[in-house]
Every structure is written in structure tokens, then in C-alpha cells.
Amino acid sequence: SLEKEPINPNVLTSLRSLSDDYKPQNPEIALQLLDVWRQHAGDAEEYTYQNQVGNVWYYHEDYQRAVEHYRLAISQNSNSPVILSNLALALEQIKTPAKRLEELDEALDTLGKAIKLKPEESEYSHRYENMKIERDFIAACGEMALRFEYVITPIRLAGETDLIAHLINENR
């Protein structure tokens, strides 16, 4: 079909959809389908191609490769909040020893740009705040502090059973 009509939008959409279907079980086929899509979609869609390839690598937890492709996508289209958010997500996941603060700074900067482009997207703001907390914690305590396990020591309450039940009742 693409041989007769190289820019048939329905076929191109189907190729991208098929690539998404193959992504979980066979990333090689997903990438091959994206390559075929890229050949026919044209240069104007290069950012979409790079973003989709980044998504394949992100799904398979190869965050460094995902970052590379998201950066290529951004070099083609720096005004896409989705691509900026994808780059921030991948940077959040890398967690290179001794570089965590640097990765979080870049992720925060990138996600901040996405927020400016699409301020109504509450997920971006929520992720930004959580990342900022981690970044500030590392800046104050050092990266090694992330290795500590938080332990909550249980306590025993003694007293009137009805009063204790009333005090710990979450519905009041």
C-alpha cells in the first residue's frame, strides 16, 4: 500500500499503532516498523520518530537510550510539552551514582519548560514538586542519604479500648 501511496495517512497511522503493539514483546520489530514509518512520514515528523523510539527504549528500561532519542526529538521540536516531559521522566529514572543531583537538575529544568508550555497539566506540576523534594534532599544530605531505609518503630498503646479506637478512627 505504501509503494502505491507513500504518504497514505491511514497506513502511516497504522504503522505507528502496530509499532506500539509490538513494543512490549518485541522491541526490534517495533523499531523496524518505526523505521518504515519514518521513511514515508518525511522530515517534518522526525521529532515524532525520535520520540517514539525513545518510548520503546523507555518501556524496556533502557533510560540512557531513551534520553538520547528524546533529546534528538527536542532538537527538532522544542515546543512539545509531551516530549519535554518524556525526557524528564527518563532522566528521573537513570540514577547514575554520583550524578543524581545533575540528572535531577536537568529533569527539573526540562519539566519546568513543559509546565510553561502546558500549565494546565497537573501531572507535570505534581512530578516537579516531588522531584524538587528529592533534589533538595540530596543537595542537603548528599546522595548517600538515599540509601538509608526509613524505619517506623511501632508503638504500643495502653488505655481505654473505646477511647483508643476513637482516636485512631480515620473517618472522624
Side-chain angles (χ1 to χ4, degrees):
S1 173
L2 284 173
E3 288 176 13
K4 292 182 181 185
E5 223 180 327
I7 51 173
N8 181 322
N10 292 331
V11 174
L12 292 176
T13 300
S14 295
L15 274 173
R16 278 187 47 206
S17 179
L18 194 57
S19 171
D20 283 340
D21 292 343
Y22 273 98
K23 181 172 47 180
Q25 68 265 20
N26 197 329
E28 292 80 19
I29 290 178
L31 292 170
Q32 288 172 0
L33 289 166
L34 286 172
D35 286 341
V36 171
W37 177 86
R38 179 190 201 187
Q39 292 169 7
H40 297 280
D43 292 341
E45 290 294 325
E46 181 65 17
Y47 72 95
T48 303
Y49 168 78
Q50 295 297 340
N51 185 57
Q52 292 294 318
V53 171
N55 289 347
V56 170
W57 292 123
Y58 184 92
Y59 184 88
H60 289 280
E61 299 178 1
D62 189 338
Y63 303 117
Q64 192 60 50
R65 273 182 158 166
V67 163
E68 291 169 19
H69 287 278
Y70 293 142
R71 284 184 176 144
L72 288 170
I74 290 169
S75 73
Q76 299 289 314
N77 180 359
S78 60
N79 291 319
S80 169
V82 171
I83 298 171
L84 290 163
S85 172
N86 287 350
L87 174 58
L89 274 170
L91 287 165
E92 281 180 78
Q93 297 302 319
I94 291 179
K95 301 178 183 175
T96 307
K99 291 189 177 184
R100 185 70 181 140
L101 196 58
E102 183 181 317
E103 292 160 352
L104 284 172
D105 282 339
E106 185 180 355
L108 283 165
D109 181 56
T110 304
L111 193 55
K113 291 174 185 174
I115 291 169
K116 284 180 185 172
L117 290 169
K118 194 169 184 182
E120 69 276 7
E121 183 61 61
S122 62
E123 178 205 340
Y124 295 169
S125 298
H126 179 73
R127 284 179 34 225
Y128 187 91
E129 291 305 317
N130 287 338
M131 258 195 294
K132 182 133 177 43
I133 289 168
E134 182 180 350
R135 188 249 175 255
D136 292 346
F137 177 77
I138 293 170
C141 303
E143 196 173 306
M144 294 296 286
L146 292 173
R147 296 184 183 179
F148 293 116
E149 289 187 36
Y150 301 103
V151 178
I152 299 174
T153 305
I155 60 171
R156 177 177 289 194
L157 297 175
E160 183 65 40
T161 307
D162 292 336
L163 177 61
I164 292 172
H166 175 74
L167 291 173
I168 60 175
N169 182 354
E170 294 180 19
N171 294 326
R172 59 174 186 99

